[in-house]
Amino acid sequence: MVPSTFFLPHTPFRRATIAAAFLSIAFVRGVAPSDRAAAPKVPAAPKLVVLLVVDQMRGDYVDKFLRQWTAGLKRLVEEGAWFRDAAYPYAATETCVGHATISTGAFPATHGMVANAWWDRQDKNMVTCTEDPHPGVKNIGYAGATPKGADTAWRMAVPSFAEELKFQTSGGTRIVTFSLKARAAITMAGHRATAATWFDGGAWVTSSAYGTQPFIEEQAKSHPAKADFGKTWSLALPAGAYWYGEKSLGAVPPAGWDLMFPHLLGGKTGAGGADDTFYGQWASSPYADTALTELAEKAVDALDLGKTSGTDFLAVSYSSVDYVGHEFGPRSREIQDILVRLDQDLGKLFRHLDRKVGRGNYVVALSADHGAGPIPEDMQTTGADAGVLHLPEVQERIEKALEPFSYQKPAVAQTRGSDVYFAPGVYDKLRQDPVAFNSVRDAVLAQPGVAAVYRAEELRDRPARESPAQRAMAYSYFPGRSGDLFILPKPYWLMDGTPLGTRRSYGAGHGEPYNYNQHVPVLLMGFGIQPGQYFQPITPADIAPTFAALCGITLASRDGHVLGEALKKPSASRRSPKPTLPAAPSP
């Protein structure tokens, strides 16, 4: 029987405590001294939790390109647990949303990060998901940089896994995150961190909410991005190894580049040095991924991550795949090549962790914040119904539809992605005016590329009966931040907010509730992970609960579940023998 001291009052930590108690019995009290001496010493929890997010990495990239990988990505597949049917269940497949979902184990309807940016009804302007208006908060640049703005995770409604890990254990957990994007580094870290760092305006940046680190300052000075000026991104493999042609149909490369390799990181023609054009090219090149990997290795060394009595947290979001995907599309040599090079960077990082932390002492999860759709012009060559859904045209249709009903002008305050925000009072009036509302709905449905229109009331409270698309929209709905109307585009139709008369600034996109945007890789490797291929449907929200189970903590609010099928079970030789029950009293 379990000693009575393990029967605790009902608290949020009860299950984790009981689980830890059973592990203690199995691995310490119940094992004979000879068994204990023979068994290798295994820590009760990983010394380091590593989260890797590859921005815009489609799930099918693993199947397509695995044979060309030789290092880190290959190791994750061969030595780890590969969940082949992982997908987001919601519609808002964007960077801030995906990173917050992975970090918290919750969906946007719970964590509140519904988009990269949304319309603030109170301030009547667009706000980014990490923008912080509180006095005293400001961004801080390394190596003398003076960035603008103020960014934190204050809009994220629930704590991150890393925050819970630090709070529920000894408090010695170090939380370190890196990305090119603030919305990735910050949401992975949460509200407090040892270091949360991103790239902005040619410099590495953090927030006063997180503070600075000397090792990042040193790295920013000794290995600045501008040192890569004049380098060339050339093909890593022979030309015959690439799946696609030299030029991606419909691609929109960054300024200064054309559609063919090699790509020179030379900035604006005649600039002679690092300028804004160069930094855009650098972010879209493998050199940016290498810089993030070097920062991660420096963090391990400088902070002795994985060396204390607790569990540390290190997260890196590789942003360049997203930039390349938007520019050249998923059917491009650029996507294939940058993943080959990322494979090498991850191999280097894992070897570094093996030396510094110890192979088997750390656990890694790799996923993506979203996938991507094909470039519409490319998809049209297959004969499929594909195109560009111009959101400014939708807004014009709504305004025109309301003209006969004497509504204020403009009636629409903002259209952002699938969300339509009406001016104050307009939507309340529309709800009581079915004739006017039907006119608006019919006008939107007449726009080429629109599949359906949903009202906020149809998504609120995640209704039990709905279509898959409506359910995906409902998982993305957060009161006060989401729109009043929601537009569902047809498959393979790209939502484009570029002003009328202006050329589109990107080739491919994401953000719609279709599998090419929702399906992403989930790979786990290292401490406590049972290698293999798993085919049951899961979501990236399952990563944080799985980390929590390995570390013996409880998440505050979660929509994901523990991936128990991929967790190692104690071997028979190490299980506790059945406890001896006291003899029954004599009659």
Side-chain angles (χ1 to χ4, degrees), residues 181-510:
K181 301 179 181 180
R183 56 185 175 270
I186 288 173
T187 50
M188 292 190 301
H191 302 79
R192 293 288 182 271
T194 309
T197 310
W198 59 93
F199 194 79
D200 184 29
W204 294 108
V205 175
T206 186
S207 167
S208 57
Y210 305 114
T212 60
Q213 286 290 330
F215 77 90
I216 303 176
E217 176 73 15
E218 189 279 329
Q219 183 74 358
K221 289 179 177 178
S222 62
H223 295 77
K226 64 182 180 182
D228 291 327
F229 181 83
K231 292 183 177 180
T232 299
W233 176 15
S234 301
L235 292 175
L237 303 174
Y242 291 87
W243 286 42
Y244 309 113
E246 290 182 302
K247 297 182 179 181
S248 300
L249 181 61
V252 183
W257 286 3
D258 57 27
L259 296 178
M260 295 179 62
F261 277 99
H263 298 306
L264 173 66
L265 278 68
K268 189 176 181 179
T269 303
D275 57 4
D276 289 344
T277 299
F278 160 75
Y279 289 119
Q281 296 166 346
W282 183 81
S284 297
S285 79
Y287 297 107
D289 285 345
T290 299
L292 287 167
T293 303
E294 291 175 351
L295 277 170
E297 293 175 351
K298 293 288 185 181
V300 171
D301 296 344
L303 299 177
D304 282 332
L305 297 182
K307 294 291 189 180
T308 65
S309 59
T311 300
D312 292 319
F313 179 80
L314 171 66
V316 184
S317 175
Y318 290 97
S319 310
S320 296
V321 172
D322 181 68
Y323 296 134
V324 170
H326 279 299
E327 293 153 356
F328 295 95
R331 286 171 25 93
S332 65
R333 291 188 175 187
E334 282 77 8
I335 276 291
Q336 188 171 349
D337 194 83
I338 203 165
L339 288 170
V340 167
R341 294 174 180 274
L342 178 61
D343 169 64
Q344 296 299 313
D345 278 321
L346 292 182
K348 183 172 179 287
L349 176 61
F350 294 156
R351 291 191 296 272
H352 192 79
L353 292 173
D354 290 343
R355 292 192 302 269
K356 296 293 184 176
V357 183
R359 194 182 183 108
N361 287 336
Y362 63 92
V363 61
V364 181
L366 180 143
S367 190
D369 50 355
H370 53 77
I375 296 176
E377 291 84 350
D378 190 21
M379 192 67 195
Q380 286 170 353
T381 63
T382 69
D385 179 20
V388 178
L389 173 53
H390 295 286
L391 296 174
E393 292 180 8
V394 173
Q395 188 165 332
E396 279 194 349
R397 285 176 179 269
I398 294 174
E399 297 289 354
K400 191 168 184 178
L402 287 175
E403 284 180 356
F405 301 97
S406 301
Y407 277 70
Q408 68 181 68
K409 294 184 178 181
V412 177
Q414 184 68 240
T415 301
R416 201 278 173 190
S418 63
D419 294 44
V420 177
Y421 298 84
F422 286 101
V426 171
Y427 188 62
D428 290 336
K429 185 178 178 181
L430 272 175
R431 292 172 62 186
Q432 308 300 321
D433 189 348
V435 176
F437 176 80
N438 289 338
S439 177
V440 168
R441 183 188 58 196
D442 292 344
V444 175
L445 289 172
Q447 175 72 21
V450 173
V453 180
Y454 298 109
R455 304 168 65 151
E457 309 91 87
E458 296 177 275
L459 307 181
R460 206 170 284 151
D461 303 322
R462 306 189 198 181
R465 294 176 178 270
E466 69 277 303
S467 68
Q470 186 178 348
R471 181 168 58 249
M473 292 284 191
Y475 277 133
S476 298
Y477 181 82
F478 193 85
R481 294 181 181 176
S482 298
D484 301 310
L485 288 185
F486 301 86
I487 300 168
L488 175 67
K490 294 178 180 178
Y492 301 115
W493 280 74
L494 172 68
M495 289 190 296
D496 177 36
T498 305
L500 295 174
T502 305
R503 182 174 178 266
R504 189 167 94 239
S505 60
Y506 52 92
H510 49 83

Side-chain angles (χ1 to χ4, degrees), residues 4-27:
S4 60
T5 52
F6 292 133
F7 288 97
L8 302 178
H10 185 74
T11 70
F13 308 105
R14 183 184 179 197
R15 275 187 289 176
T17 306
I18 292 175
F22 273 108
L23 286 173
S24 175
I25 293 171
F27 294 130

Side-chain angles (χ1 to χ4, degrees), residues 52-63 69 73 76-77 81-88 102 339 365-371 517-524 538-540 543:
L52 304 173
V53 182
V54 184
D55 201 322
Q56 205 190 114
M57 185 174 183
R58 287 170 50 130
D60 59 357
Y61 288 165
V62 182
D63 293 282
W69 299 337
L73 289 171
L76 280 166
V77 173
W82 177 14
F83 285 88
R84 304 194 61 164
D85 191 14
Y88 290 99
I102 295 171
L339 288 170
L366 180 143
S367 190
D369 50 355
H370 53 77
N517 291 325
Q518 296 171 318
H519 178 40
V520 296
V522 169
L523 296 156
L524 305 173
I538 70 160
T539 82
I543 293 173

Side-chain angles (χ1 to χ4, degrees), residues 28-106:
V28 181
R29 293 187 177 181
V31 181
S34 60
D35 293 333
R36 288 204 302 270
K41 186 177 180 181
V42 178
K47 304 297 293 181
L48 177 65
V49 173
V50 180
L51 173 62
L52 304 173
V53 182
V54 184
D55 201 322
Q56 205 190 114
M57 185 174 183
R58 287 170 50 130
D60 59 357
Y61 288 165
V62 182
D63 293 282
K64 288 179 179 178
F65 306 132
L66 175 58
R67 293 183 181 180
Q68 297 179 335
W69 299 337
T70 61
L73 289 171
K74 180 181 180 182
R75 179 173 166 184
L76 280 166
V77 173
E78 293 187 346
E79 297 183 17
W82 177 14
F83 285 88
R84 304 194 61 164
D85 191 14
Y88 290 99
Y90 55 73
T93 45
E94 296 189 4
T95 296
C96 188
V97 189
H99 282 81
T101 297
I102 295 171
S103 174
T104 63

